[in-house]
Amino acid sequence: MIEIPATVKLRLDGDALVSNWQTLDRMSGSASAGAAIKANAYGLGSIEVLQRLQAAGCRDFYVANWQEARELEGQLEGDSCISVLNGVRADDMPFAIVSAAKPVLNSMEQVHRWKNTSLPCDVMINSGMNRLGINRGDIEQYDWNGLDIDIAMSHLASADEDVPQNASQLQEFIDVLEYTPGKRRSLSNSAGIALGSSYHFDCTRPGLSLYGGKQRTELEKIIQQVVFPETQILQVRDLSIGDKLGYNAKYTAKRAHPIAILAMGYADGYLRGFSNEGVFLSGNTKLPVLGRVSMDLIAIDISDASHLEESDWVTAEYDLPIASDQSGLSQYELITGLGQRYDRYWV
Ligand SMILES: *Cc1c(COP(=O)(O)O)cnc(C)c1O
């Protein structure tokens, strides 16, 4: 087959990924950092992320469902393990009992379903987020003997903010742990790690910050960008004063200047919120997005890089807090939404 080079690429920095995990592991103190690699490692590619972090020493991996677990379990080495955060449905049981992964039991229904297998599991305690997890009353009443519980965990709802909910979830978790015979205890996601040692327990579960997300100021200087969306220029043209650009003419030139049309659009996860707000980079030169982002095309101002021409590559400014401000999207949405058209390559 004749190869057709991609028009959009994701440059993924493997050293930055490993450095971020090491930073989060160090910040976790005596606790060991795992890695949330659900949703294809937030869009980066879960097999590559698992391999790189496992080689760096990471042992606990978290996915959302059993399809994700099946794709990855062949990669596990030594004492590494995969936890399935969304638990185990009746429909999952045939695969779950032969899988190397373990479920996070989120409800008493799931506990009853798993109990007879005598296989390892984790247990999710509801400490106040009221998403998945078993309530305190059910935990206290149940006889947990006979279940092989590895991690007793809970999840913080607002770790990216300084709000009283963090301390109250911490206290609730500590109280309920008395009744939950897990070998290990875990509470914190990326932002939770930055809340301090009382939130660390035995293992932490960072996701977003592995991939460059910085949701607390403590993380801002020490977490590195991992994901760099790149695209090619399809055409350059010169606008004259008064020329309108793109759908619904959301940009009108106030001076004559050159623009470039890029082979990327909202179908690549570069959503409409970047219209007239986003920035691309050629080297260190900033090239503002002009007008509305189309499905497969974006226009940028190349006044400051007028040497650019068809087939040159530019990179989206995608430092996650900055891109979040530009677009109004969350840092999570920005990376999980990047889509299938990218040629993902690691450097
Ligand atoms: C996704 C997830 C994480 C990772 O959270 P980040 O905010 O991405 O660090 C940890 N624990 C649970 C239960 C999750 O669902």
Side-chain angles (χ1 to χ4, degrees):
M1 223 171 44
I2 302 169
E3 197 200 332
I4 306 171
T7 52
V8 282
K9 298 182 183 180
L10 275 190
R11 175 159 52 87
L12 300 165
D13 185 333
D15 290 340
L17 173 75
V18 167
S19 161
N20 289 342
W21 179 77
Q22 287 167 336
T23 297
L24 293 159
D25 190 52
R26 204 177 322 116
M27 283 180 78
S28 298
S30 58
S32 60
I37 55 171
K38 59 202 185 193
N40 197 28
Y42 292 39
L44 280 71
S46 55
I47 292 178
E48 291 81 359
V49 168
L50 185 152
Q51 288 171 339
R52 283 161 199 276
L53 295 183
Q54 183 168 249
C58 182
R59 289 294 169 263
D60 295 301
F61 297 94
Y62 301 89
V63 299
N65 63 45
W66 293 92
Q67 288 163 329
E68 294 176 354
R70 170 150 66 187
E71 198 158 315
L72 293 166
E73 61 183 15
Q75 307 292 330
L76 296 179
E77 292 167 2
D79 52 357
S80 293
C81 54
I82 295 176
S83 299
V84 179
L85 290 167
N86 283 3
V88 61
R89 303 170 300 173
D91 289 344
D92 294 320
M93 285 300 282
F95 178 74
I97 58 172
V98 298
S99 170
K102 58 190 158 125
V104 179
L105 304 180
N106 289 307
S107 65
M108 293 314 293
E109 287 77 4
Q110 294 183 359
V111 169
H112 298 313
R113 195 171 287 144
W114 198 250
K115 184 155 192 183
N116 295 327
T117 69
S118 44
L119 294 165
C121 61
D122 300 330
V123 167
M124 178 66 78
I125 295 165
N126 174 24
S127 61
M129 186 177 189
N130 288 305
R131 198 173 61 169
L132 296 177
I134 304 173
N135 287 342
R136 180 182 192 146
D138 290 326
I139 299 262
E140 288 176 2
Q141 278 168 28
Y142 191 68
D143 175 9
W144 294 94
N145 290 313
L147 268 168
D148 179 8
I149 304 175
D150 180 5
I151 303 173
M153 70 177 77
S154 191
H155 192 48
L156 296 167
S158 308
D160 55 331
E161 299 177 282
D162 289 314
V163 290
Q165 188 182 18
N166 293 325
S168 71
Q169 282 199 268
L170 173 62
Q171 191 55 54
E172 179 75 2
F173 183 53
I174 291 170
D175 292 346
V176 180
L177 277 176
E178 272 188 54
Y179 304 92
T180 325
K183 296 187 187 80
R184 299 186 287 166
R185 307 156 298 164
S186 176
L187 179 61
S188 286
N189 62 346
S190 303
I193 292 171
L195 292 178
S197 58
S198 54
Y199 288 81
H200 295 160
F201 296 93
D202 300 307
C203 41
T204 56
R205 310 187 305 274
L208 183 72
S209 292
L210 296 171
Y211 315 118
K214 295 169 274 193
Q215 289 215 295
R216 295 189 59 91
T217 50
E218 295 90 332
L219 299 167
E220 243 154 49
K221 295 228 159 56
I222 51 180
I223 292 297
Q224 299 175 31
Q225 184 173 350
V226 178
V227 180
F228 298 83
E230 301 173 332
T231 185
Q232 210 168 15
I233 294 173
L234 296 175
Q235 187 173 356
V236 296
R237 66 169 60 250
D238 291 309
L239 294 187
S240 307
I241 295 178
D243 278 353
K244 295 174 173 43
L245 171 60
Y247 281 121
N248 307 104
K250 294 296 180 188
Y251 175 80
T252 303
K254 293 191 186 62
R255 57 186 167 84
H257 67 86
I259 63 170
I261 308 300
L262 310 179
M264 184 174 156
Y266 62 75
D268 301 298
Y270 198 84
L271 300 188
R272 180 178 163 131
F274 284 106
S275 301
N276 278 320
E277 299 287 342
V279 173
F280 280 72
L281 300 165
S282 171
N284 291 326
T285 308
K286 293 188 181 228
L287 310 170
V289 171
L290 300 180
R292 183 164 280 172
V293 173
S294 300
M295 187 184 298
D296 318 299
L297 297 168
I298 296 165
I300 56 171
D301 183 354
I302 57 167
S303 302
D304 294 335
S306 51
H307 61 280
L308 288 174
E309 56 187 23
E310 179 187 324
S311 87
D312 284 344
W313 288 80
V314 292
T315 305
E317 180 172 50
Y318 223 67
D319 174 83
L320 292 177
I322 293 174
S324 179
D325 284 346
Q326 291 170 353
S327 64
L329 297 170
S330 79
Q331 297 183 39
Y332 296 87
E333 291 166 326
L334 283 168
I335 49 171
T336 58
L338 285 169
Q340 292 312 308
R341 282 203 292 213
Y342 292 92
D343 184 1
R344 288 166 167 76
Y345 73 103
W346 291 84
V347 295

